[in-house]
Amino acid sequence: MVLRVYNTLTRQKEEFTTLVPGRVSLYVCGPTVYDKAHIGHAMSALVFDIIRRYLEFKGYEVRHVMNYTDVDDKIILRANELNMDPFELAERYTREYDQHLADLNILPATVNPRATQEMSTIIDMVQRLISQGYAYNKNGDVYFRVTRDADYGKLSGRRLEDMQAGARISVDERKEHPMDFALWKSAKPGEPAWESPWGPGRPGWHIECSAMNLTHLGEQIDIHGGGNDLIFPHHENEIAQTESLTGRPFARYWIHNGMLQLSGEKMSKSLGNLITIEEFLSLYEGDVLRMMVLNSSYRNPLSYSDEILAQAKRALERLRSGIRPALPGSQGAPADVLESLTSQVKKTAQEFVEAMDDDFNTAGALAALFELVRAINQARDAGATDDQLADARNELIRLSGVLGLRLQVESRRGEQAGPFIELLLEVRNELRKQKLWALSDVVRDRLLELGVVIEDSREGSSWRWKE
RNA sequence: GGCGACGUGGCCAAGUGGUAAGGCAAGGGUCUGCAAAACCCUGAUCACGGGUUCGAAUCCCGUCGUCGCCUCCA
């Protein structure tokens, strides 16, 4: 099966091949660490986590780089407001973000470079860009000369002429062309600064990513990803810088995720319509957010609402219903039921791969998993034993894992409670035999309040942790 | 104003030429002391208007609507 990927650069789905057989170099733009991250950032991280996991499932060895922008205007501004050291501020939010990623079950990147640790590469690149005529120095500020780059605008589909017309482009006298962008910014007194041939200053935003790619992945990479709000100017400028220097195509595939929306608008700090990852995780488990992402297509906008959230929660529960144990007293299911279960396992695996191969169609992949869940539940209802369910259940767990979903969550609460709950069930069974319904209902209700779900059947009762 | 994306049942959403996956919700049923869960059954002709085609949600044109980018942004 061939994987096909939508490439922003060509605006179409393309067959996925890598520079080096069996290996993928993946660069994803990470956050600027000046404030708490919101679930829009989480969505992007989840999308690329799913992509990475699927690539690994396909047998690729993935070298995954995600950067932290830990020096820039906003960090300095915020640090001043808080009367704090900018590096300390960045460090705090970097650590916090790392923790969020772990909480969301996002695999750690192979490398997490930071802008402040790439200075020598950045300065070297800027210097070479100047010497080759792609950039110029104006009193300590260095700008990229967009008119020198013949195919500037190829990623975002813009032409320089179009952008000048009608747009509000700030007039900056120091620039030769309004669209020229900063490679190096001179430092004002008191600002963090690094020594450079053009005086003390700090890198512009775009050059750091170019530098980190070069250092950690090389001149050419397979996939470059990020939110679609980065297409212009950020990724456009990365291409301009890198390709001007190397003379070779930078990333083979540009992959961009759609924006998370809240009340019809992009979730963002400037609009103030955001939910932080911290807030979300204090109320729900990370897999709920992952489920929301999986049930949509990564390139389209995803709107966040209480209803969508509730749907994702229920969908996750349904998926998990597939791994519940056999019913008490099961004697085995009829042969035809077991046969159709076996064939559904095969069918699901096949449909799962087919869907994911089509530009990571996670919604389609989920549909295949839900069909497996139904087949498993049918078999269980028909009396299948744990042994008879094992293969199907393992496949469900395996494929869900490719999407990063964790179905087995029981252990997160103390296992020590198990024997005591069993004891309560035994006592309650006695009560039920004696038809003391009121009392047995009290036990069930109180246990539910404690997070334990009791389900009665003809053959006896079972329990599980509430999700 | 320029560039781009999208518009499928109450909600989310797959499907991009051959008569509409899946999930949530809703209604009916099986099971059950009750409940819950699970299982079974029930619903859309695909924004609107033209066109191409034997045949279109799926291709083309137009209209309307929503969103993103054009300034920092996942």
Side-chain angles (χ1 to χ4, degrees):
Chain A
M1 294 295 291
V2 248
L3 173 61
R4 291 171 60 79
V5 172
Y6 182 87
N7 190 349
T8 306
L9 191 59
T10 57
R11 314 252 166 213
Q12 57 189 5
K13 287 182 194 171
E14 296 173 356
E15 200 169 298
F16 184 72
T17 56
T18 57
L19 290 160
V20 179
R23 294 195 183 177
V24 176
S25 46
L26 168 68
Y27 185 92
V28 181
C29 285
T32 300
V33 281
Y34 73 103
D35 203 349
K36 289 188 179 301
H38 57 73
I39 55 178
H41 299 109
M43 175 198 174
S44 186
L46 283 165
V47 163
F48 288 99
D49 181 60
I50 292 158
I51 287 175
R52 172 196 168 164
R53 284 172 188 266
Y54 189 64
L55 291 170
E56 290 180 342
F57 169 79
K58 294 283 280 185
Y60 289 106
E61 188 185 309
V62 180
R63 184 167 170 82
H64 174 197
V65 177
M66 190 207 76
N67 73 298
Y68 282 111
T69 298
D70 61 351
V71 58
D72 98 327
D73 296 357
K74 273 184 296 197
I75 295 174
I76 295 169
L77 192 70
R78 176 59 56 90
N80 286 342
E81 282 169 15
L82 298 173
N83 202 17
M84 234 182 125
D85 176 61
F87 296 115
E88 210 175 293
L89 182 83
E91 178 63 23
R92 184 213 282 179
Y93 287 120
T94 299
R95 282 197 193 169
E96 195 174 282
Y97 198 76
D98 272 337
Q99 185 57 49
H100 288 332
L101 295 181
D103 292 342
L104 289 164
N105 195 28
I106 288 168
L107 296 172
T110 318
V111 193
N112 284 124
R114 304 181 187 192
T116 52
Q117 293 165 357
E118 305 287 328
M119 276 319 148
S120 61
T121 311
I122 291 171
I123 290 170
D124 177 60
M125 285 181 86
V126 175
Q127 218 161 1
R128 283 157 61 207
L129 283 166
I130 292 175
S131 67
Q132 291 177 34
Y134 289 106
Y136 53 93
N137 171 13
K138 278 279 161 77
N139 305 321
D141 290 308
V142 180
Y143 295 99
F144 185 89
R145 186 175 274 137
V146 289
T147 50
R148 233 340 265 288
D149 183 16
D151 53 8
Y152 186 80
K154 68 178 173 185
L155 179 69
S156 56
R158 289 152 211 263
R159 295 174 307 167
L160 286 173
E161 310 85 74
D162 290 342
M163 288 187 284
Q164 289 181 81
R168 342 148 236 179
I169 293 166
S170 56
V171 183
D172 189 331
E173 296 303 326
R174 294 167 297 183
K175 293 184 187 179
E176 290 177 3
H177 186 284
M179 294 311 295
D180 287 351
F181 56 90
L183 296 174
W184 189 262
K185 297 178 170 190
S186 57
K188 297 189 191 81
E191 286 183 347
W194 286 259
E195 280 310 320
S196 82
W198 323 284
R202 62 180 181 277
W205 177 35
H206 316 297
I207 192 71
E208 63 169 271
C209 281
S210 286
M212 289 186 250
N213 268 285
L214 205 57
T215 310
H216 299 283
L217 294 172
E219 291 192 347
Q220 293 186 288
I221 67 170
D222 292 306
I223 302 176
H224 193 127
N228 68 12
D229 54 348
L230 298 183
I231 295 173
F232 190 89
H234 186 53
H235 289 163
E236 195 71 72
N237 292 349
E238 273 187 63
I239 292 178
Q241 296 157 352
T242 301
E243 295 190 355
S244 293
L245 273 186
T246 66
R248 314 161 75 180
F250 177 26
R252 295 161 65 84
Y253 305 93
W254 287 86
I255 299 181
H256 293 96
N257 65 275
M259 293 293 103
L260 184 67
Q261 294 180 207
L262 186 62
S263 19
E265 280 178 307
K266 171 181 164 185
M267 188 173 285
S268 73
K269 283 170 184 159
S270 46
L271 289 167
N273 61 338
L274 54 82
I275 294 167
T276 63
I277 297 175
E278 187 176 55
E279 284 167 339
F280 185 92
L281 288 177
S282 72
L283 294 171
Y284 313 100
E285 62 171 312
D287 277 359
V288 172
L289 189 60
R290 188 179 287 264
M291 194 53 133
M292 284 179 52
V293 171
L294 289 169
N295 189 44
S296 64
S297 35
Y298 78 89
R299 285 191 277 134
N300 292 340
L302 170 60
S303 49
Y304 183 92
S305 69
D306 289 343
E307 192 175 3
I308 302 299
L309 186 69
Q311 290 179 9
K313 266 175 79 173
R314 293 283 295 128
L316 187 59
E317 267 179 57
R318 171 154 183 82
L319 208 54
R320 284 176 177 157
S321 77
I323 64 162
R324 288 180 196 161
L327 298 176
S330 289
Q331 299 298 315
D336 61 320
V337 173
L338 294 177
E339 269 167 40
S340 72
L341 178 60
T342 306
S343 72
Q344 184 56 248
V345 170
K346 258 194 203 158
K347 189 162 172 268
T348 289
Q350 206 176 318
E351 288 176 352
F352 179 90
V353 171
E354 249 169 62
M356 290 299 283
D357 272 347
D358 182 15
D359 193 32
F360 313 106
N361 179 355
T362 51
L366 271 185
L369 295 187
F370 283 121
E371 278 172 22
L372 179 56
V373 167
R374 185 187 302 121
I376 292 173
N377 289 341
Q378 281 169 340
R380 187 192 300 101
D381 276 7
T385 61
D386 280 320
D387 271 0
Q388 290 174 330
L389 294 174
D391 284 350
R393 213 152 45 190
N394 287 338
E395 185 67 344
L396 180 64
I397 291 167
R398 183 177 79 101
L399 295 176
S400 300
V402 174
L403 302 177
L405 291 171
R406 290 162 298 188
L407 301 188
Q408 292 156 305
V409 290
E410 289 83 355
S411 59
R412 70 197 152 134
R413 281 175 252 209
E415 284 297 307
Q416 305 94 318
F420 297 98
I421 294 167
E422 300 284 351
L423 176 61
L424 278 168
L425 274 198
E426 261 176 58
V427 173
R428 179 166 173 276
N429 264 340
E430 251 343 281
L431 297 173
R432 294 185 68 220
K433 272 187 195 155
Q434 295 174 32
K435 299 195 188 302
L436 294 170
W437 307 125
L439 212 47
S440 76
D441 286 354
V442 168
V443 175
R444 187 172 62 196
D445 294 346
R446 292 298 310 277
L447 278 172
L448 184 62
E449 284 169 25
L450 296 170
V452 177
V453 181
I454 290 186
E455 288 169 357
D456 297 326
S457 73
R458 185 190 293 281
E459 298 297 330
S461 306
S462 61
W463 70 275
R464 60 187 164 85
W465 290 108
K466 193 177 163 193
E467 284 149 359

Short mmCIF file of all heavy atoms in Angstrom, two decimals, chain A residues 392-419:
data_model
loop_
_atom_site.label_atom_id
_atom_site.label_comp_id
_atom_site.label_asym_id
_atom_site.label_seq_id
_atom_site.Cartn_x
_atom_site.Cartn_y
_atom_site.Cartn_z
N ALA A 392 -9.17 -10.31 18.61
CA ALA A 392 -9.85 -9.10 18.13
C ALA A 392 -9.55 -7.92 19.05
O ALA A 392 -9.31 -6.80 18.59
CB ALA A 392 -11.35 -9.34 18.06
N ARG A 393 -9.55 -8.22 20.35
CA ARG A 393 -9.31 -7.16 21.30
C ARG A 393 -7.88 -6.62 21.15
O ARG A 393 -7.65 -5.40 21.19
CB ARG A 393 -9.51 -7.73 22.71
CG ARG A 393 -10.05 -6.74 23.66
CD ARG A 393 -10.85 -7.37 24.76
NE ARG A 393 -10.21 -8.55 25.33
CZ ARG A 393 -10.83 -9.38 26.17
NH1 ARG A 393 -12.08 -9.14 26.51
NH2 ARG A 393 -10.21 -10.43 26.65
N ASN A 394 -6.94 -7.52 20.96
CA ASN A 394 -5.55 -7.09 20.80
C ASN A 394 -5.38 -6.23 19.54
O ASN A 394 -4.62 -5.26 19.52
CB ASN A 394 -4.62 -8.30 20.73
CG ASN A 394 -4.47 -8.94 22.08
OD1 ASN A 394 -4.71 -8.28 23.12
ND2 ASN A 394 -4.12 -10.22 22.11
N GLU A 395 -6.10 -6.62 18.49
CA GLU A 395 -6.00 -5.84 17.26
C GLU A 395 -6.59 -4.44 17.47
O GLU A 395 -6.04 -3.44 16.98
CB GLU A 395 -6.73 -6.55 16.11
CG GLU A 395 -6.59 -5.89 14.76
CD GLU A 395 -5.16 -5.95 14.20
OE1 GLU A 395 -4.21 -6.23 14.98
OE2 GLU A 395 -4.98 -5.67 13.00
N LEU A 396 -7.68 -4.39 18.19
CA LEU A 396 -8.30 -3.09 18.48
C LEU A 396 -7.35 -2.20 19.28
O LEU A 396 -7.18 -1.01 18.98
CB LEU A 396 -9.60 -3.31 19.27
CG LEU A 396 -10.37 -2.04 19.66
CD1 LEU A 396 -10.85 -1.29 18.42
CD2 LEU A 396 -11.55 -2.37 20.56
N ILE A 397 -6.69 -2.80 20.24
CA ILE A 397 -5.75 -2.04 21.07
C ILE A 397 -4.55 -1.60 20.23
O ILE A 397 -4.10 -0.45 20.32
CB ILE A 397 -5.27 -2.90 22.27
CG1 ILE A 397 -6.42 -3.10 23.25
CG2 ILE A 397 -4.09 -2.25 22.96
CD1 ILE A 397 -6.18 -4.16 24.30
N ARG A 398 -4.10 -2.49 19.38
CA ARG A 398 -2.92 -2.19 18.56
C ARG A 398 -3.21 -1.02 17.60
O ARG A 398 -2.45 -0.07 17.52
CB ARG A 398 -2.53 -3.42 17.75
CG ARG A 398 -1.28 -3.25 16.91
CD ARG A 398 -0.92 -4.54 16.18
NE ARG A 398 -1.73 -4.76 14.99
CZ ARG A 398 -1.32 -4.50 13.75
NH1 ARG A 398 -0.11 -4.02 13.55
NH2 ARG A 398 -2.10 -4.73 12.73
N LEU A 399 -4.32 -1.12 16.88
CA LEU A 399 -4.63 -0.07 15.90
C LEU A 399 -4.99 1.26 16.57
O LEU A 399 -4.63 2.32 16.09
CB LEU A 399 -5.75 -0.53 14.97
CG LEU A 399 -5.39 -1.73 14.07
CD1 LEU A 399 -6.59 -2.18 13.25
CD2 LEU A 399 -4.22 -1.39 13.15
N SER A 400 -5.67 1.18 17.69
CA SER A 400 -5.97 2.42 18.43
C SER A 400 -4.67 3.07 18.86
O SER A 400 -4.55 4.30 18.87
CB SER A 400 -6.84 2.12 19.65
OG SER A 400 -8.06 1.54 19.27
N GLY A 401 -3.71 2.22 19.21
CA GLY A 401 -2.41 2.73 19.63
C GLY A 401 -1.68 3.46 18.52
O GLY A 401 -0.94 4.41 18.77
N VAL A 402 -1.91 3.04 17.29
CA VAL A 402 -1.29 3.74 16.15
C VAL A 402 -1.81 5.17 16.10
O VAL A 402 -1.10 6.09 15.69
CB VAL A 402 -1.60 3.00 14.83
CG1 VAL A 402 -1.09 3.80 13.64
CG2 VAL A 402 -0.97 1.62 14.84
N LEU A 403 -3.04 5.36 16.52
CA LEU A 403 -3.61 6.71 16.54
C LEU A 403 -3.25 7.44 17.83
O LEU A 403 -3.57 8.61 18.00
CB LEU A 403 -5.14 6.64 16.41
CG LEU A 403 -5.65 5.94 15.15
CD1 LEU A 403 -7.18 5.87 15.17
CD2 LEU A 403 -5.19 6.67 13.89
N GLY A 404 -2.59 6.72 18.73
CA GLY A 404 -2.18 7.33 19.99
C GLY A 404 -3.23 7.25 21.08
O GLY A 404 -3.10 7.90 22.11
N LEU A 405 -4.27 6.46 20.86
CA LEU A 405 -5.32 6.33 21.87
C LEU A 405 -4.97 5.19 22.82
O LEU A 405 -4.52 4.13 22.40
CB LEU A 405 -6.66 6.02 21.20
CG LEU A 405 -7.30 7.13 20.38
CD1 LEU A 405 -8.50 6.58 19.61
CD2 LEU A 405 -7.72 8.29 21.26
N ARG A 406 -5.22 5.44 24.09
CA ARG A 406 -4.99 4.40 25.09
C ARG A 406 -6.33 3.87 25.56
O ARG A 406 -7.12 4.58 26.16
CB ARG A 406 -4.22 4.99 26.27
CG ARG A 406 -2.78 5.33 25.92
CD ARG A 406 -2.18 6.28 26.92
NE ARG A 406 -2.91 7.56 26.95
CZ ARG A 406 -2.50 8.61 27.61
NH1 ARG A 406 -1.41 8.56 28.32
NH2 ARG A 406 -3.20 9.73 27.58
N LEU A 407 -6.60 2.62 25.25
CA LEU A 407 -7.89 2.07 25.63
C LEU A 407 -7.90 1.55 27.06
O LEU A 407 -8.91 1.56 27.74
CB LEU A 407 -8.29 0.94 24.67
CG LEU A 407 -8.40 1.34 23.19
CD1 LEU A 407 -8.99 0.19 22.38
CD2 LEU A 407 -9.26 2.59 23.03
N GLN A 408 -6.76 1.05 27.48
CA GLN A 408 -6.70 0.48 28.82
C GLN A 408 -6.36 1.54 29.84
O GLN A 408 -5.22 1.98 29.91
CB GLN A 408 -5.66 -0.65 28.86
CG GLN A 408 -6.11 -1.83 28.04
CD GLN A 408 -4.95 -2.67 27.58
OE1 GLN A 408 -4.03 -2.16 26.94
NE2 GLN A 408 -4.99 -3.95 27.89
N VAL A 409 -7.34 1.94 30.62
CA VAL A 409 -7.11 3.04 31.55
C VAL A 409 -7.33 2.64 33.00
O VAL A 409 -7.14 3.44 33.89
CB VAL A 409 -8.06 4.23 31.25
CG1 VAL A 409 -7.65 4.87 29.95
CG2 VAL A 409 -9.49 3.77 31.20
N GLU A 410 -7.70 1.39 33.21
CA GLU A 410 -8.05 0.97 34.57
C GLU A 410 -6.94 1.25 35.58
O GLU A 410 -7.19 1.67 36.69
CB GLU A 410 -8.36 -0.54 34.60
CG GLU A 410 -9.65 -0.91 33.91
CD GLU A 410 -9.48 -1.05 32.41
OE1 GLU A 410 -8.38 -0.76 31.91
OE2 GLU A 410 -10.44 -1.44 31.74
N SER A 411 -5.72 1.00 35.14
CA SER A 411 -4.64 1.04 36.10
C SER A 411 -4.34 2.43 36.64
O SER A 411 -3.59 2.59 37.57
CB SER A 411 -3.37 0.49 35.45
OG SER A 411 -3.07 1.26 34.32
N ARG A 412 -4.97 3.44 36.02
CA ARG A 412 -4.63 4.78 36.50
C ARG A 412 -5.15 5.00 37.92
O ARG A 412 -4.74 5.89 38.63
CB ARG A 412 -5.17 5.85 35.55
CG ARG A 412 -6.68 5.98 35.57
CD ARG A 412 -7.16 6.72 34.35
NE ARG A 412 -8.50 6.29 34.04
CZ ARG A 412 -9.49 7.11 33.76
NH1 ARG A 412 -9.29 8.39 33.73
NH2 ARG A 412 -10.68 6.64 33.50
N ARG A 413 -6.16 4.20 38.34
CA ARG A 413 -6.61 4.29 39.71
C ARG A 413 -6.08 3.10 40.48
O ARG A 413 -5.75 2.07 39.92
CB ARG A 413 -8.12 4.31 39.77
CG ARG A 413 -8.61 5.69 39.43
CD ARG A 413 -10.09 5.70 39.36
NE ARG A 413 -10.47 5.83 37.97
CZ ARG A 413 -11.60 6.39 37.59
NH1 ARG A 413 -12.43 6.87 38.48
NH2 ARG A 413 -11.89 6.50 36.33
N GLY A 414 -6.01 3.23 41.78
CA GLY A 414 -5.39 2.18 42.59
C GLY A 414 -5.95 0.80 42.31
O GLY A 414 -7.13 0.56 42.47
N GLU A 415 -5.05 -0.10 41.92
CA GLU A 415 -5.48 -1.47 41.71
C GLU A 415 -5.83 -2.13 43.04
O GLU A 415 -6.56 -3.11 43.08
CB GLU A 415 -4.35 -2.28 41.05
CG GLU A 415 -4.19 -2.00 39.57
CD GLU A 415 -5.42 -2.39 38.75
OE1 GLU A 415 -5.88 -3.53 38.88
OE2 GLU A 415 -5.93 -1.53 38.01
N GLN A 416 -5.32 -1.54 44.10
CA GLN A 416 -5.56 -2.14 45.41
C GLN A 416 -7.04 -2.19 45.75
O GLN A 416 -7.47 -2.96 46.59
CB GLN A 416 -4.83 -1.35 46.51
CG GLN A 416 -3.35 -1.18 46.26
CD GLN A 416 -3.05 0.14 45.56
OE1 GLN A 416 -3.77 0.53 44.64
NE2 GLN A 416 -2.02 0.82 45.99
N ALA A 417 -7.82 -1.32 45.10
CA ALA A 417 -9.24 -1.27 45.42
C ALA A 417 -9.97 -2.50 44.93
O ALA A 417 -11.03 -2.84 45.45
CB ALA A 417 -9.87 -0.02 44.80
N GLY A 418 -9.40 -3.19 43.96
CA GLY A 418 -10.06 -4.32 43.32
C GLY A 418 -10.69 -5.32 44.27
O GLY A 418 -11.90 -5.56 44.22
N PRO A 419 -9.91 -5.93 45.15
CA PRO A 419 -10.46 -6.95 46.04
C PRO A 419 -11.63 -6.45 46.88
O PRO A 419 -12.58 -7.18 47.13
CB PRO A 419 -9.26 -7.29 46.95
CG PRO A 419 -8.06 -6.91 46.14
CD PRO A 419 -8.47 -5.76 45.29
#
